[in-house]
Amino acid sequence: MTGVEFPEDFVWGAATAAYQIEGAVREGGRQASIWDTFSATPGKVLGGDTGEVAVDHYHRWREDIGLMADLGLSSYRFSVSWPRVRAGGLGFYDRLVDGLLERGVRPNLTLYHWDLPQELETPSGGAGEGGWPARDTAYAFAEYAGQVAKALGDRVGMWTTLNEPWCAAFLGYASGVHAPGRTDPVAALRAAHHLNLGHGLATAALRAALPADARIGISLNPSAVRPLTGSAADLDAARRIDALANRVFTGPLLHGGYPEDLRADTAALTDWSFVHEGDERTIGAPLDFLGVNYYTPAVVSAADGAAVRADGHGASAHSPWPAADGVSFHQPPGERTAMGWSVDATGLYDLLMRFTREAPGLPLLVTENGAAYEDVPGPSGQVEDLDRIAYLRAHLAEVARARADGAPVEGYYLWSLLDNFEWSYGYSRRFGLYHVDYATQRRTPKASAHWYARLTRSGVLASE
């Protein structure tokens, strides 16, 4: 076999999120999350779908661990449901972690993948603003992190504080296409800061509760922002979006503070007084790894009068880009996934090399990468998803190229293990290696599952 060989200790994984797969939203005393409320609100989720049942992982976790073993995974990245833990539901994760270890699959635990307890979004009595725009939520998150660490820290060695805080802040509080569905750009900027602060406070809580060799990081969804042309106006549009998509997080995480150009761009909206003395120092606590989630690049220009904003983040009359009304997004020509996202693997290489330059020596993990396609089963029930295999092969080739050029990429987590509830798209988009018949919950490996299993066992990315 010819191809690119990955090292023996390279981490081969797959990823999921609690609300997207667990179901059982009222079992074990679990409290309501903002996604329970949002998805039950007419018109918010395509088809009126909810995560009430999802793919029933709460009851089928043993079967699903078997699927992971069949794939030859060395690690599984999952998230813990804060509303479940808040009601004393840690036992489920205790059993899950033990089950993973019994099958030789190392757990990579994410504390927050968007399912904020509804009680924190709407405080009892309706007094004051809740959710991530409220500073108190960051402190509540740190308390929750310490609770989970004390329960599972003896067996879980990899900890991710937040998954894609950009989505939580800007899709949840600016464009409103994600829970809780608010459309206030200032609240979104405050949410971004308090998510950052929550990460810093949670990191401290984890350090206090975990063994010294535990590894703590965060998973961002950085944007590979590209100007449409080399004009000064388009370059400035790219700078503006880069600040809102990337540097609003990497500034305090990696470089000591929020970028001045971001503050200047948004000065008409806020004076940033929600950033308190010492916050940026707390946020910048040393990381053991940085997770990179990547699907597609962003192509931008100065406003060109286009009626449709093609930023790939769902339809809304409200922009997820505060103070960036003068920027247009463009859909590049060529192949697209079922999400409408252009396929361009070079963006992943660009991001990995960017972080290698910005934070020399900081280990990197690709914590999400994958694609949704139509995935129609054939007469035999099999899904021959050759388009997904091509997508994965191209992106893993860019991971290998980045490693060859010095990027310290230690592993790759494919999104996703299973078809599942895809947020505001409901069950209409399939990302999984395993096809799920939502009526019967039957799991069937797609062609990509067999392909990935060969890769995890051989460590060789074949050219064809």
Side-chain angles (χ1 to χ4, degrees):
M1 180 183 294
T2 60
V4 178
E5 187 170 351
F6 286 82
E8 287 189 9
D9 62 352
F10 192 78
V11 175
W12 295 106
T16 66
Y19 190 73
Q20 293 181 269
I21 67 168
E22 284 182 4
V25 297
R26 284 179 286 274
E27 293 191 40
R30 177 187 174 278
Q31 295 182 359
S33 80
I34 57 174
W35 270 97
D36 293 312
T37 302
F38 185 80
S39 62
T41 304
K44 295 298 186 181
V45 174
L46 193 64
D49 294 337
T50 76
E52 185 170 352
V53 176
V55 295
D56 198 30
H57 175 73
Y58 186 82
H59 299 111
R60 298 170 185 265
W61 60 270
R62 293 179 183 85
E63 174 188 355
D64 292 341
I65 291 176
L67 303 182
M68 299 174 209
D70 291 344
L71 289 172
L73 299 187
S74 49
S75 183
Y76 171 52
R77 179 173 175 255
F78 65 97
S79 76
V80 170
S81 168
W82 190 353
R84 198 176 295 284
V85 170
R86 194 173 172 87
L90 264 166
F92 170 71
Y93 301 103
D94 194 69
R95 296 187 293 274
L96 177 66
V97 166
D98 283 348
L100 290 167
L101 294 173
E102 287 169 7
R103 299 301 296 268
V105 180
R106 297 196 301 275
N108 181 340
L109 187 154
T110 298
L111 286 164
Y112 187 73
H113 198 133
W114 310 349
D115 50 351
L116 184 72
Q118 182 64 46
E119 188 177 48
L120 295 180
E121 175 65 28
T122 52
S124 58
E129 181 184 44
W132 286 108
R135 188 176 179 90
D136 285 350
T137 303
Y139 290 94
F141 179 65
E143 182 179 356
Y144 154 69
Q147 180 185 1
V148 178
K150 288 174 184 175
L152 303 177
D154 59 333
R155 286 156 290 158
V156 176
M158 184 79 74
W159 294 75
T160 302
T161 54
L162 305 172
N163 179 79
E164 298 187 0
W166 185 88
C167 294
F170 295 101
L171 300 185
Y173 293 94
S175 70
V177 299
H178 277 194
R182 289 160 62 178
T183 54
D184 179 346
V186 177
L189 291 167
R190 291 169 57 197
H193 174 61
H194 294 138
L195 282 154
N196 282 334
L197 180 61
H199 157 78
L201 295 169
T203 298
L206 292 173
R207 297 278 183 217
L210 294 173
D213 60 351
R215 303 180 70 195
I216 302 168
I218 186 172
S219 286
L220 305 178
N221 59 315
S223 183
V225 184
R226 295 170 174 171
L228 183 65
T229 75
S231 71
D234 287 2
L235 290 170
D236 190 65
R239 175 204 60 76
R240 185 179 290 266
I241 296 304
D242 182 68
L244 286 166
N246 300 326
R247 292 182 286 120
V248 67
F249 300 106
T250 60
L253 282 169
L254 302 178
H255 305 301
Y258 289 101
E260 288 303 318
D261 65 320
L262 171 65
R263 289 178 178 255
D265 289 343
T266 57
L269 293 175
T270 177
D271 61 2
W272 289 75
S273 58
F274 47 78
V275 180
H276 295 188
E277 179 68 29
D279 282 2
E280 290 158 309
R281 183 169 57 254
T282 298
I283 296 165
L287 297 169
D288 297 315
F289 67 90
L290 177 64
V292 176
N293 295 358
Y294 175 80
Y295 295 92
T296 189
V299 179
V300 302
S301 73
D304 62 0
V308 178
R309 187 182 69 247
D311 65 3
H313 293 298
S316 172
H318 303 272
S319 172
W321 306 103
D325 292 341
V327 176
S328 289
F329 288 76
H330 299 267
Q331 179 66 263
E335 183 186 352
R336 303 182 193 180
T337 69
M339 296 291 289
W341 297 342
S342 65
V343 177
D344 187 341
T346 63
L348 179 55
Y349 172 87
D350 292 346
L351 289 170
L352 294 173
M353 297 311 299
R354 172 178 178 165
F355 292 126
T356 298
R357 293 188 298 270
E358 288 193 24
L362 177 63
L364 303 174
L365 290 169
V366 178
T367 39
E368 285 186 27
N369 177 240
Y373 289 104
E374 293 304 320
D375 291 349
V376 178
S380 66
Q382 299 300 307
V383 174
E384 296 297 325
D385 55 338
L386 302 184
D387 39 13
R388 179 174 290 106
I389 293 172
Y391 178 101
L392 297 172
R393 181 185 287 115
H395 285 75
L396 279 161
E398 294 300 317
V399 173
R401 181 162 75 101
R403 282 178 49 84
D405 289 345
V409 186
E410 297 184 347
Y412 176 90
Y413 290 83
L414 190 154
W415 184 272
S416 175
L417 177 70
L418 301 156
D419 292 338
N420 55 45
F421 177 81
E422 189 50 44
W423 306 114
S424 60
Y425 291 93
Y427 296 100
S428 69
R429 303 293 191 272
R430 294 178 178 270
F431 279 85
L433 289 172
Y434 287 88
H435 179 274
V436 178
D437 181 325
Y438 296 121
T440 66
Q441 297 293 348
R442 181 182 178 186
R443 282 93 156 114
T444 303
K446 302 175 187 177
S448 57
H450 299 298
W451 177 86
Y452 196 52
R454 291 192 295 271
L455 174 59
T456 65
R457 289 182 168 87
S458 69
V460 176
L461 179 67
S463 56
E464 291 293 341

